[in-house]
Amino acid sequence: MFTVADLQKRYMVTANTVLGWIRNGDLKAINVGRTAARQKARWRITQAALEAFEQSRTPSPPPAPSPRRRKSPADVIEFYKVGSR
């Protein structure tokens, strides 16, 4: 289990940034601090949630461009194909 402070150090961001990821739903976290006596949230992040977060943030390579077919000019009529008999 990771804390907000652990992730803050790991990614070199502020605590508000990590809390924003949790608030937006980008990073799944468990609140272990809310009780009747304690009103402040204490978040814990599991290893699986952290791996899913990192996977969603990893850029994927762009798809390879598909080969384009050459269009033959409309005013040219091909009587013979080269290489075929």
Side-chain angles (χ1 to χ4, degrees):
M1 296 287 249
F2 297 96
T3 64
V4 171
D6 293 338
L7 297 184
Q8 179 183 352
K9 291 175 189 172
R10 181 176 182 148
Y11 297 119
M12 292 187 281
V13 296
T14 65
N16 285 334
T17 300
V18 177
L19 293 172
W21 292 336
I22 294 170
R23 201 175 312 113
N24 291 339
D26 296 335
L27 178 62
K28 304 291 182 207
I30 302 165
N31 184 0
V32 296
R34 259 202 206 189
T35 62
R38 185 178 197 90
Q39 293 299 316
K40 189 173 180 182
R42 290 174 33 208
W43 298 104
R44 298 293 181 266
I45 298 94
T46 63
Q47 180 69 33
L50 187 59
E51 289 172 2
F53 173 75
E54 288 176 346
Q55 183 68 28
S56 70
R57 294 284 178 135
T58 303
S60 59
S66 61
R68 294 185 176 219
R69 293 179 55 188
R70 288 187 179 177
K71 291 185 177 180
S72 60
D75 59 345
V76 174
I77 301 173
E78 293 185 32
F79 289 104
Y80 300 103
K81 296 242 183 205
V82 178
S84 63
R85 288 188 175 205

